[in-house]
Amino acid sequence: MANAAAPEPKENMGQPMPRIDGRLKVTGGARYPSDIRLKEPVYAALALSSIALGSISRFRLDAARAVAGVIDIFTHETLSDAIKEQVMMGQSEQAGYAASTIRPLQSASILHDGQIIAIVVADTFEAATEAARLVAPEYDARTPSATFGSDGVTIEEAAKISKKHEDPKIGDAEAALRTAEVKVDNRYSTPVQHHNPIELFTTSCIWDGPKLTIFEPSQTAHGLRFGVAQQLGMNPDDVHVVSSFIGGAFGSKGATTERTALIAAIAKKLDRPVKFVSSRADAFFVSTYRAETEQRVALAASRDGKLTALIHEGHEVTSRPDGYFVGGTDTTTRMYACPNISTKVSVVHADRKTPGFMRAPAEMPYMFVLESAMDELAETLGIDPVELRRINDTQIEPIKGLAFTSRSLMPCFDAAAAAFRWSERNRKPGAARDGDWLIGQGCATSCYPTMVAPATARVSLMPDGTAHVETAAQDVGTGTYTVVAQMAAERLGIDARHVKVTLGDSKLPPAPVSGGSNVTASVCSAVAKACDAINEKLRGSNSQNLAEQFRRLGVSELVEYAETVAPGASPEGIDQLYKGISALGGGPKLKDRIQYAFGAQFIEVAVHSRTREIRVRRMTGAFAAGRIMNTRTARSQLMGGMIGGIGSALLEATEIDRRYARYVNKNLADYEVPVNADIEALDVILVPETDDKVNAVGVKGVGELGIVGTAAAVANAVYNATGIRVRDLPIRLDALLT
Amino acid sequence: MTQFLKYVAGIQRRQMLYGTAATLAFLLVSRVVVARQKPVGKAAGGIAHEAGDKVDLVLDINGQERHLSLDGRTSLLDALRDHLDLTGSKKGCDHGQCGACTVHVDGRRVLSCLTLASMASGKKITTIEGLAGPDGGLHPMQAAFIEHDAFQCGYCTPGQIMSAVACVEEGHADDAAEIREYMSGNICRCAAYPNIVAAIEHAKVAMGRA
């Protein structure tokens, strides 16, 4: 039987080796951090704020303390000395690791719904959970500002918040728009989303004298180590983070979040191992979220379809104290040739938790808007949407005039269009039917900036042809264990099944955060370099027999440690890596080149003519991302991204009660994510591409590429099915009841 | 999204309502706290427990008798994970919405987070750790999940596999559409769904149910 999960490798693609951690994962043998058995642990449970703004005037804790088995209840009255320093990641000159500057339990102040107000510790999970519900705070509550349009929000320009952000601009876009032959100018919105990895947020802390061990699923074992050390005022050498398996992350386990240092501080006070496993409702607050956006895109073109102006303005919600934003205009301004471009990103401060990165943080919401607008322009011009992309395709980005290291956008469109049978599409909206169902088809561009970070790895080769690779990099489900083994095997000329890989432990050589789709490129570069150094030592021997070569060298193993930075990147990045900072660079931020992976997605929807139920019938995505290390794991990531994109398009939104700035659907029944029955035919095409400029191994990364553009392709298909243009995500049937 | 309620959880809910002690424990778990200050009266034919009281029980797990003394509110999932070190069954929501905790009880798929450990006493419980043969040989469903890359992070996978085996044995795996429907109580956030369907179609042949 043909196995769609294991595509035949094409040029510049690695073998579809099954995951080397597969057996552990299908037998229950993989130990995720909350699976680690602790000696006589006590259990922690959180009490969260039920107001979004104000302060706690007093606690009534009698009922909670009366629960049999409760050991102690920690509040700002007893734990306010815990956090010494907390610097937010990427927001200042100082090394920062935290998701936010907000410090729960350090004062009576409440800055957002769901802020941690107490941590209950008990002998059993059951007692801690019961007592946490009985924690009774009394509040001095004030009226919070919830979101866009709420009284009391303040607006700040992104360029004024961060030196790293400059609003891309060339020519005079407003003038070009005024005089344009054809234009579209519309407003769009995207909702609050939560990552909801199926693994809950967990933390176990154990002290041994001054040494702290933390078992926590993390996208950055070293980052978490340094982050907690900073918060607790500890020597980072005394903090050890273990995160061997991570049950999904999608951005939610990247920055150091509030609970970890607090659990550690409590474990120290009690001198007992403390285990914390969040509830699903708590998971909507324990980590970060994708903030809602409001955007305007205006496109102008000549009658022949050439873009003459692009205006893209974005507003993003953030917390009161923190200026977090994603700023996707860096990407949207690089997609197509255009002589006049104007952009502006602003944040709107509300009484909300600080948002954070979620799969394709900038590209998912901003490309939804650009690619919806491109479809609207194609419709207005009467040009096929694929042809409109071809007319405006470019190998030189328009802002700085830099050349793409490689750009296979149109080969992706052509491959996907052929497989999808796009030429058979009925271009007239609302004209195709299948019984009671209206059928529509749409397409969109996918892209993701190619990011690379400094990395290190240690490779040991034995005389029997086995090898061991050690690096602190994480496998969040992406296949890091497997592709690292493949890279070492290829370079050392041994069987990949003979390579042992150890990951996810801060005692290992430091590696960057599993974020920005960088890990395969970054870590494989370091592994390849260490392997090359081993090969160098073996050179000069005539013998092909490895054991003989080791005898000649008089060693029992060959061990090499390698450090790498991206081509042209500052070697200082390595110093930062040793402090737990991932110096991601690339995409549109380079001086001499621009590097992106591209793709094209085609989607067919069926909309019921009476109920307006929306079903995705089939999806085809074609992607080119440089070297593909393993066609099996790459396809799975792209597929997962596309299905995540269906969630964004049709299902996912965290609803806010605007009166109280509080979330209302904090569970997996009301925050809907795609389930098996939502996905029918799905086809992933890997388009061959070779790029020797992005990094030493020519890898671009595919973790986030698949989710970008999906929502626009769905919206465009819904338009083709119904003639109704929906510019607000998610698209639900009420938007189609006209 | 609602399949699990219909096909899995419903069984347990009915059972809960019939057992007096279990009903009381259910009320406590669901935080409808019964007057805690005064002793709870004995129900006819059953022994009433206060929250936090230990319950002695014997569970038949993967063919082994396991003796436990647990807080009466302990779910089967927490009994497995925190008291028996059988951590293959995963906690993803703890209230029956994700399917990561799926185990077999007397051959039927059950959400162990919605099952009190005490209710599973006297029944045959199979977890992911008990699915492979005694020689370590993988169950055809486990092998098919690897071959079809039916997971990424692997966290929902034990629940998916336990559900998938039951799905085939229930006779609900006739075609891809039926599999999708009957596997929709198990959420995979990495979204390996098409690969899960392919793995089940593959494994059902080896399971003799094609």
Side-chain angles (χ1 to χ4, degrees):
Chain A
M1 198 196 313
N3 183 357
E8 192 64 33
K10 300 172 200 158
E11 188 190 340
N12 201 27
M13 295 183 193
Q15 290 298 315
M17 182 186 184
R19 291 169 197 266
I20 64 173
D21 51 345
R23 187 184 170 92
L24 285 175
K25 286 181 173 177
V26 302
T27 56
R31 292 264 173 176
Y32 297 75
S34 67
D35 300 340
I36 306 292
R37 184 153 216 193
L38 308 177
K39 194 162 175 251
E40 294 174 15
V42 293
Y43 294 84
L46 305 180
L48 303 181
S49 165
S50 60
I51 64 164
L53 183 65
S55 62
I56 297 163
S57 53
R58 64 184 284 259
F59 277 107
R60 283 180 289 110
L61 299 176
D62 294 353
R65 286 194 192 283
V67 172
V70 167
I71 295 166
D72 208 343
I73 300 170
F74 296 89
T75 69
H76 69 277
E77 289 164 356
T78 52
L79 208 64
S80 64
D81 58 345
I83 305 300
K84 315 298 179 201
E85 190 177 20
Q86 183 172 309
V87 182
M88 192 173 154
M89 183 186 273
Q91 298 286 303
S92 74
E93 299 293 311
Q94 204 185 343
Y97 311 90
S100 166
T101 61
I102 297 171
R103 303 181 184 193
L105 299 195
Q106 301 305 288
S107 74
S109 164
I110 301 291
L111 293 175
H112 62 83
D113 178 27
Q115 185 175 316
I116 299 170
I117 57 168
I119 301 178
V120 178
V121 181
D123 286 333
T124 64
F125 170 76
E126 292 75 24
T129 303
E130 182 188 354
R133 299 301 190 282
L134 297 173
V135 168
E138 288 178 8
Y139 299 109
D140 289 326
R142 290 188 280 141
T143 304
S145 309
T147 182
F148 299 123
S150 296
D151 288 343
V153 296
T154 58
I155 300 177
E156 193 177 9
E157 289 175 24
K160 292 194 176 145
I161 295 172
S162 171
K163 273 186 260 175
K164 288 180 200 155
H165 181 81
E166 196 177 323
D167 289 320
K169 186 179 185 320
I170 50 163
D172 187 342
E174 291 290 353
L177 187 67
R178 277 195 299 275
T179 59
E181 290 178 355
V182 180
K183 61 186 163 188
V184 292
D185 186 351
N186 291 295
R187 291 179 185 279
Y188 303 78
S189 73
T190 62
V192 179
Q193 293 182 336
H194 279 79
H195 316 78
N196 278 310
I198 297 303
E199 179 186 34
L200 290 161
F201 298 103
T202 74
T203 301
S204 294
C205 289
I206 303 160
W207 290 86
D208 179 10
K211 303 268 185 191
L212 168 64
T213 302
I214 302 169
F215 296 96
E216 179 175 314
S218 173
Q219 290 169 253
T220 168
H222 271 275
L224 183 60
R225 171 185 156 222
F226 278 86
V228 171
Q230 184 180 61
Q231 285 175 295
L232 298 179
M234 290 174 66
N235 180 344
D237 292 343
D238 288 337
V239 182
H240 177 203
V241 172
V242 182
S243 194
S244 310
F245 289 96
I246 298 112
F250 315 109
S252 66
K253 296 164 183 170
T256 303
T257 56
E258 295 83 2
R259 94 278 188 177
T260 312
L262 297 171
I263 299 287
I266 289 169
K268 181 151 198 168
K269 276 183 193 282
L270 297 175
D271 196 23
R272 294 280 298 274
V274 177
K275 179 171 182 175
F276 166 69
V277 176
S278 80
S279 69
R280 180 51 65 181
D282 289 357
F284 283 75
F285 303 106
V286 168
S287 183
T288 63
Y289 62 98
R290 193 197 292 281
E292 63 271 44
T293 75
E294 288 185 348
Q295 300 177 55
R296 172 200 172 204
V297 162
L299 295 175
S302 51
R303 292 255 170 239
D304 61 2
K306 284 207 172 72
L307 286 173
T308 56
L310 159 64
I311 298 171
H312 196 165
E313 296 162 355
H315 285 81
E316 307 176 19
V317 162
T318 186
S319 63
R320 283 292 175 193
D322 299 328
Y324 181 89
F325 63 92
V326 296
T329 49
D330 266 347
T331 285
T332 56
T333 54
R334 267 58 179 221
M335 286 302 102
Y336 305 111
C338 183
N340 300 291
I341 295 175
S342 164
T343 67
K344 188 163 160 187
V345 173
S346 305
V347 302
V348 172
H349 292 277
D351 297 307
R352 296 274 298 285
K353 195 173 202 291
T354 305
F357 22 84
M358 179 166 166
R359 200 172 199 172
E363 297 74 17
M364 200 296 287
Y366 280 77
M367 283 294 286
F368 158 67
V369 170
L370 178 69
E371 291 302 296
S372 293
M374 284 294 280
D375 199 70
E376 299 191 53
L377 182 65
E379 182 72 19
T380 309
L381 286 162
I383 294 176
D384 182 277
V386 176
E387 293 314 304
L388 184 65
R389 270 89 174 180
R390 195 185 313 279
I391 290 165
N392 292 289
D393 187 33
T394 179
Q395 295 294 326
I396 307 288
E397 60 86 20
I399 300 294
K400 293 181 191 162
L402 299 173
F404 285 94
T405 55
S406 57
R407 171 170 160 131
S408 307
L409 177 64
M410 292 322 297
C412 289
F413 264 107
D414 291 338
F420 188 81
R421 301 187 308 279
W422 177 253
S423 59
E424 296 169 20
R425 170 185 185 247
N426 191 329
R427 284 168 70 162
K428 188 161 172 263
R433 266 189 175 254
D434 176 7
D436 283 339
W437 295 85
L438 305 168
I439 307 300
Q441 296 165 344
C443 66
T445 293
S446 298
C447 69
Y448 197 76
T450 302
M451 311 292 279
V452 190
T456 70
R458 180 164 50 235
V459 178
S460 312
L461 179 66
M462 315 303 163
D464 63 358
T466 62
H468 186 194
V469 182
E470 296 166 281
T471 170
Q474 305 70 214
D475 189 332
V476 292
T478 44
T480 312
Y481 278 109
T482 309
V483 298
V484 162
Q486 286 179 286
M487 176 52 74
E490 179 187 302
R491 291 286 169 136
L492 295 172
I494 59 176
D495 189 326
R497 288 169 300 181
H498 298 159
V499 182
K500 181 184 168 191
V501 180
T502 309
L503 302 176
D505 187 314
S506 68
K507 288 192 171 167
L508 297 169
V513 62
S514 290
S517 298
N518 89 92
V519 156
T520 299
S522 307
V523 173
C524 282
S525 295
V527 172
K529 189 176 174 185
C531 293
D532 291 349
I534 288 175
N535 288 336
E536 190 65 29
K537 287 199 173 149
L538 289 172
R539 226 163 63 167
S541 166
N542 296 323
S543 172
Q544 290 300 305
N545 182 304
L546 206 54
E548 269 178 36
Q549 296 182 61
F550 274 77
R551 270 197 297 279
R552 178 179 60 80
L553 289 167
V555 294
S556 60
E557 60 176 355
L558 282 172
V559 183
E560 286 292 336
Y561 184 95
E563 299 174 336
T564 49
V565 296
S570 159
E572 286 168 18
I574 285 288
D575 301 336
Q576 288 182 281
L577 184 64
Y578 286 109
K579 293 176 190 150
I581 305 278
S582 300
L584 264 68
K589 296 287 193 189
L590 302 168
K591 288 194 172 65
D592 62 336
R593 63 188 191 277
I594 182 164
Q595 50 196 39
Y596 272 82
F598 287 92
Q601 296 197 39
F602 289 73
I603 283 167
E604 179 174 300
V605 299
V607 178
H608 196 274
S609 58
R610 287 188 293 277
T611 67
R612 297 284 160 164
E613 179 185 358
I614 308 163
R615 299 285 306 171
V616 174
R617 286 205 167 174
R618 56 194 184 99
M619 320 170 63
T620 300
F623 305 93
R627 167 88 188 267
I628 298 297
M629 289 297 301
N630 178 324
T631 56
R632 185 192 307 254
T633 55
R635 174 184 172 275
S636 284
Q637 282 201 75
L638 291 162
M639 181 175 83
M642 291 168 71
I643 297 171
I646 294 301
S648 283
L650 299 175
L651 302 168
E652 295 181 38
T654 310
E655 308 290 350
I656 302 168
D657 184 330
R658 295 176 63 100
R659 297 168 299 173
Y660 304 111
R662 300 195 66 198
Y663 295 149
V664 297
N665 54 336
K666 299 165 287 188
N667 63 76
L668 288 172
D670 297 317
Y671 182 96
E672 294 199 318
V673 300
V675 298
N676 211 320
D678 291 321
I679 306 303
E680 298 179 31
L682 188 150
D683 188 14
V684 175
I685 300 166
L686 299 171
V687 174
E689 182 182 71
T690 299
D691 189 324
D692 55 11
K693 300 187 190 78
V694 279
N695 50 64
V697 289
V699 167
K700 285 184 170 179
V702 291
E704 289 158 282
L705 178 59
I707 199 174
V708 181
T710 318
V714 171
N716 299 341
V718 167
Y719 174 78
N720 182 240
T722 63
I724 299 168
R725 180 67 67 178
V726 184
R727 302 189 180 93
D728 307 295
L729 294 182
I731 303 168
R732 291 177 174 157
L733 56 81
D734 56 312
L736 304 179
L737 291 167
T738 52
Chain B
M1 190 64 86
T2 54
Q3 285 299 323
F4 62 92
L5 286 176
K6 204 162 150 193
Y7 296 102
V8 185
I11 306 157
Q12 300 155 23
R13 289 207 174 137
R14 279 195 300 277
Q15 288 172 344
M16 276 187 201
L17 296 174
Y18 294 141
T20 313
T23 306
L24 178 57
F26 173 72
L27 290 173
L28 292 168
V29 166
S30 58
R31 283 174 264 296
V32 181
V33 181
V34 178
R36 293 191 40 76
Q37 296 79 4
K38 51 187 177 184
V40 180
K42 277 196 177 182
I47 301 161
H49 290 279
E50 284 252 33
D53 281 0
K54 296 280 185 189
V55 181
D56 292 326
L57 65 154
V58 183
L59 295 179
D60 176 352
I61 301 174
N62 301 330
Q64 284 191 320
E65 267 194 9
R66 307 294 295 263
H67 294 255
L68 290 162
S69 179
L70 299 173
D71 185 315
R73 297 167 296 181
T74 307
S75 68
L76 177 57
L77 175 62
D78 286 329
L80 293 169
R81 292 180 53 78
D82 285 340
H83 301 276
L84 295 168
D85 200 30
L86 289 168
T87 55
S89 306
K90 301 302 185 198
K91 184 179 282 192
C93 70
D94 218 12
H95 56 191
Q97 293 179 336
C98 78
C101 66
T102 305
V103 299
H104 294 174
V105 175
D106 286 344
R108 304 185 70 167
R109 47 175 158 167
V110 155
L111 297 171
S112 62
C113 77
L114 289 185
T115 307
L116 291 165
S118 57
M119 291 163 51
S121 187
K123 296 174 181 164
K124 282 198 169 310
I125 302 158
T126 306
T127 70
I128 190 73
E129 290 92 343
L131 201 58
D135 57 347
L138 294 178
H139 185 281
M141 192 63 75
Q142 292 173 309
F145 263 60
I146 295 176
E147 183 57 25
H148 291 270
D149 211 36
F151 53 89
Q152 290 193 53
C153 78
Y155 195 82
C156 73
T157 309
Q160 297 278 0
I161 290 174
M162 297 310 285
S163 218
V165 169
C167 178
V168 171
E169 288 176 351
E170 288 159 13
H172 288 147
D174 282 351
D175 56 35
E178 193 180 33
I179 292 170
R180 287 196 290 267
E181 194 66 27
Y182 280 84
M183 286 300 294
S184 281
N186 291 78
I187 297 175
C188 173
R189 193 63 164 139
C190 301
Y193 298 125
N195 292 0
I196 291 169
V197 174
I200 295 171
E201 290 194 299
H202 185 147
K204 76 177 180 189
V205 179
M207 289 170 70
R209 299 297 295 251

mmCIF file of all heavy atoms in Angstrom, chain A residues 395-413:
data_model
loop_
_atom_site.group_PDB
_atom_site.id
_atom_site.type_symbol
_atom_site.label_atom_id
_atom_site.label_comp_id
_atom_site.label_asym_id
_atom_site.label_seq_id
_atom_site.Cartn_x
_atom_site.Cartn_y
_atom_site.Cartn_z
ATOM 1 N N GLN A 395 11.980 38.490 -7.776
ATOM 2 C CA GLN A 395 13.126 37.896 -7.099
ATOM 3 C C GLN A 395 13.870 38.940 -6.270
ATOM 4 O O GLN A 395 14.863 38.631 -5.621
ATOM 5 C CB GLN A 395 14.081 37.239 -8.124
ATOM 6 C CG GLN A 395 13.465 36.038 -8.856
ATOM 7 C CD GLN A 395 13.185 34.855 -7.930
ATOM 8 O OE1 GLN A 395 13.913 34.608 -6.983
ATOM 9 N NE2 GLN A 395 12.102 34.115 -8.206
ATOM 10 N N ILE A 396 13.402 40.212 -6.365
ATOM 11 C CA ILE A 396 14.018 41.312 -5.611
ATOM 12 C C ILE A 396 12.937 41.937 -4.736
ATOM 13 O O ILE A 396 11.906 42.371 -5.240
ATOM 14 C CB ILE A 396 14.560 42.409 -6.579
ATOM 15 C CG1 ILE A 396 15.476 41.808 -7.641
ATOM 16 C CG2 ILE A 396 15.244 43.532 -5.797
ATOM 17 C CD1 ILE A 396 16.819 41.352 -7.150
ATOM 18 N N GLU A 397 13.155 41.985 -3.423
ATOM 19 C CA GLU A 397 12.120 42.585 -2.572
ATOM 20 C C GLU A 397 12.140 44.100 -2.767
ATOM 21 O O GLU A 397 13.211 44.690 -2.985
ATOM 22 C CB GLU A 397 12.318 42.171 -1.108
ATOM 23 C CG GLU A 397 13.638 42.579 -0.478
ATOM 24 C CD GLU A 397 13.631 43.973 0.104
ATOM 25 O OE1 GLU A 397 12.542 44.484 0.359
ATOM 26 O OE2 GLU A 397 14.722 44.544 0.258
ATOM 27 N N PRO A 398 10.969 44.741 -2.676
ATOM 28 C CA PRO A 398 10.894 46.146 -3.086
ATOM 29 C C PRO A 398 11.380 47.166 -2.062
ATOM 30 O O PRO A 398 11.680 48.292 -2.441
ATOM 31 C CB PRO A 398 9.400 46.345 -3.359
ATOM 32 C CG PRO A 398 8.708 45.334 -2.529
ATOM 33 C CD PRO A 398 9.635 44.161 -2.441
ATOM 34 N N ILE A 399 11.497 46.818 -0.788
ATOM 35 C CA ILE A 399 11.802 47.848 0.212
ATOM 36 C C ILE A 399 13.266 48.267 0.158
ATOM 37 O O ILE A 399 13.595 49.438 0.043
ATOM 38 C CB ILE A 399 11.417 47.361 1.631
ATOM 39 C CG1 ILE A 399 9.920 47.053 1.695
ATOM 40 C CG2 ILE A 399 11.812 48.397 2.689
ATOM 41 C CD1 ILE A 399 8.995 48.230 1.531
ATOM 42 N N LYS A 400 14.160 47.288 0.241
ATOM 43 C CA LYS A 400 15.594 47.617 0.212
ATOM 44 C C LYS A 400 16.259 47.177 -1.088
ATOM 45 O O LYS A 400 17.450 47.394 -1.268
ATOM 46 C CB LYS A 400 16.301 46.940 1.383
ATOM 47 C CG LYS A 400 15.884 47.478 2.752
ATOM 48 C CD LYS A 400 16.660 46.747 3.856
ATOM 49 C CE LYS A 400 16.114 47.046 5.235
ATOM 50 N NZ LYS A 400 16.556 46.044 6.218
ATOM 51 N N GLY A 401 15.496 46.513 -1.950
ATOM 52 C CA GLY A 401 16.068 46.055 -3.211
ATOM 53 C C GLY A 401 17.006 44.871 -3.064
ATOM 54 O O GLY A 401 17.910 44.670 -3.872
ATOM 55 N N LEU A 402 16.800 44.067 -2.026
ATOM 56 C CA LEU A 402 17.654 42.897 -1.800
ATOM 57 C C LEU A 402 17.125 41.688 -2.567
ATOM 58 O O LEU A 402 15.916 41.524 -2.739
ATOM 59 C CB LEU A 402 17.703 42.555 -0.309
ATOM 60 C CG LEU A 402 18.276 43.633 0.625
ATOM 61 C CD1 LEU A 402 18.096 43.209 2.081
ATOM 62 C CD2 LEU A 402 19.746 43.899 0.308
ATOM 63 N N ALA A 403 18.060 40.835 -2.997
ATOM 64 C CA ALA A 403 17.663 39.628 -3.728
ATOM 65 C C ALA A 403 17.292 38.517 -2.752
ATOM 66 O O ALA A 403 17.974 38.317 -1.737
ATOM 67 C CB ALA A 403 18.809 39.178 -4.627
ATOM 68 N N PHE A 404 16.233 37.795 -3.089
ATOM 69 C CA PHE A 404 15.898 36.588 -2.326
ATOM 70 C C PHE A 404 16.987 35.545 -2.571
ATOM 71 O O PHE A 404 17.442 35.377 -3.710
ATOM 72 C CB PHE A 404 14.550 36.022 -2.770
ATOM 73 C CG PHE A 404 13.368 36.807 -2.263
ATOM 74 C CD1 PHE A 404 12.790 37.808 -3.037
ATOM 75 C CD2 PHE A 404 12.835 36.553 -1.009
ATOM 76 C CE1 PHE A 404 11.696 38.539 -2.575
ATOM 77 C CE2 PHE A 404 11.747 37.276 -0.532
ATOM 78 C CZ PHE A 404 11.176 38.272 -1.314
ATOM 79 N N THR A 405 17.396 34.845 -1.505
ATOM 80 C CA THR A 405 18.395 33.778 -1.686
ATOM 81 C C THR A 405 17.831 32.694 -2.602
ATOM 82 O O THR A 405 18.572 32.067 -3.349
ATOM 83 C CB THR A 405 18.792 33.164 -0.339
ATOM 84 O OG1 THR A 405 17.601 32.722 0.323
ATOM 85 C CG2 THR A 405 19.524 34.182 0.537
ATOM 86 N N SER A 406 16.546 32.483 -2.521
ATOM 87 C CA SER A 406 15.819 31.634 -3.463
ATOM 88 C C SER A 406 14.344 31.921 -3.217
ATOM 89 O O SER A 406 13.954 32.270 -2.096
ATOM 90 C CB SER A 406 16.124 30.145 -3.242
ATOM 91 O OG SER A 406 15.815 29.767 -1.916
ATOM 92 N N ARG A 407 13.568 31.830 -4.261
ATOM 93 C CA ARG A 407 12.144 32.119 -4.129
ATOM 94 C C ARG A 407 11.420 31.289 -5.177
ATOM 95 O O ARG A 407 11.502 31.581 -6.372
ATOM 96 C CB ARG A 407 11.883 33.613 -4.320
ATOM 97 C CG ARG A 407 10.394 33.975 -4.410
ATOM 98 C CD ARG A 407 10.191 35.484 -4.344
ATOM 99 N NE ARG A 407 8.906 35.867 -4.880
ATOM 100 C CZ ARG A 407 8.038 36.685 -4.271
ATOM 101 N NH1 ARG A 407 8.356 37.230 -3.104
ATOM 102 N NH2 ARG A 407 6.892 36.986 -4.822
ATOM 103 N N SER A 408 10.715 30.278 -4.714
ATOM 104 C CA SER A 408 10.032 29.357 -5.628
ATOM 105 C C SER A 408 8.525 29.492 -5.509
ATOM 106 O O SER A 408 7.788 28.510 -5.546
ATOM 107 C CB SER A 408 10.458 27.913 -5.317
ATOM 108 O OG SER A 408 11.866 27.799 -5.328
ATOM 109 N N LEU A 409 8.070 30.738 -5.365
ATOM 110 C CA LEU A 409 6.629 30.953 -5.191
ATOM 111 C C LEU A 409 5.829 30.420 -6.374
ATOM 112 O O LEU A 409 4.862 29.674 -6.200
ATOM 113 C CB LEU A 409 6.342 32.448 -4.984
ATOM 114 C CG LEU A 409 4.858 32.804 -4.853
ATOM 115 C CD1 LEU A 409 4.245 32.167 -3.612
ATOM 116 C CD2 LEU A 409 4.660 34.329 -4.807
ATOM 117 N N MET A 410 6.224 30.802 -7.587
ATOM 118 C CA MET A 410 5.410 30.384 -8.736
ATOM 119 C C MET A 410 5.525 28.891 -9.028
ATOM 120 O O MET A 410 4.507 28.273 -9.366
ATOM 121 C CB MET A 410 5.719 31.246 -9.966
ATOM 122 C CG MET A 410 5.278 32.709 -9.829
ATOM 123 S SD MET A 410 3.687 33.025 -8.960
ATOM 124 C CE MET A 410 2.517 32.189 -10.031
ATOM 125 N N PRO A 411 6.704 28.276 -8.880
ATOM 126 C CA PRO A 411 6.716 26.800 -8.987
ATOM 127 C C PRO A 411 5.764 26.142 -7.989
ATOM 128 O O PRO A 411 5.131 25.121 -8.310
ATOM 129 C CB PRO A 411 8.183 26.445 -8.694
ATOM 130 C CG PRO A 411 8.956 27.645 -9.167
ATOM 131 C CD PRO A 411 8.076 28.828 -8.835
ATOM 132 N N CYS A 412 5.632 26.720 -6.807
ATOM 133 C CA CYS A 412 4.676 26.166 -5.832
ATOM 134 C C CYS A 412 3.248 26.353 -6.333
ATOM 135 O O CYS A 412 2.425 25.421 -6.283
ATOM 136 C CB CYS A 412 4.851 26.834 -4.469
ATOM 137 S SG CYS A 412 6.366 26.368 -3.619
ATOM 138 N N PHE A 413 2.918 27.561 -6.806
ATOM 139 C CA PHE A 413 1.568 27.798 -7.335
ATOM 140 C C PHE A 413 1.262 26.839 -8.483
ATOM 141 O O PHE A 413 0.177 26.262 -8.568
ATOM 142 C CB PHE A 413 1.412 29.256 -7.790
ATOM 143 C CG PHE A 413 0.776 30.131 -6.749
ATOM 144 C CD1 PHE A 413 1.514 31.060 -6.036
ATOM 145 C CD2 PHE A 413 -0.589 30.008 -6.469
ATOM 146 C CE1 PHE A 413 0.918 31.860 -5.074
ATOM 147 C CE2 PHE A 413 -1.189 30.803 -5.496
ATOM 148 C CZ PHE A 413 -0.429 31.727 -4.790
#
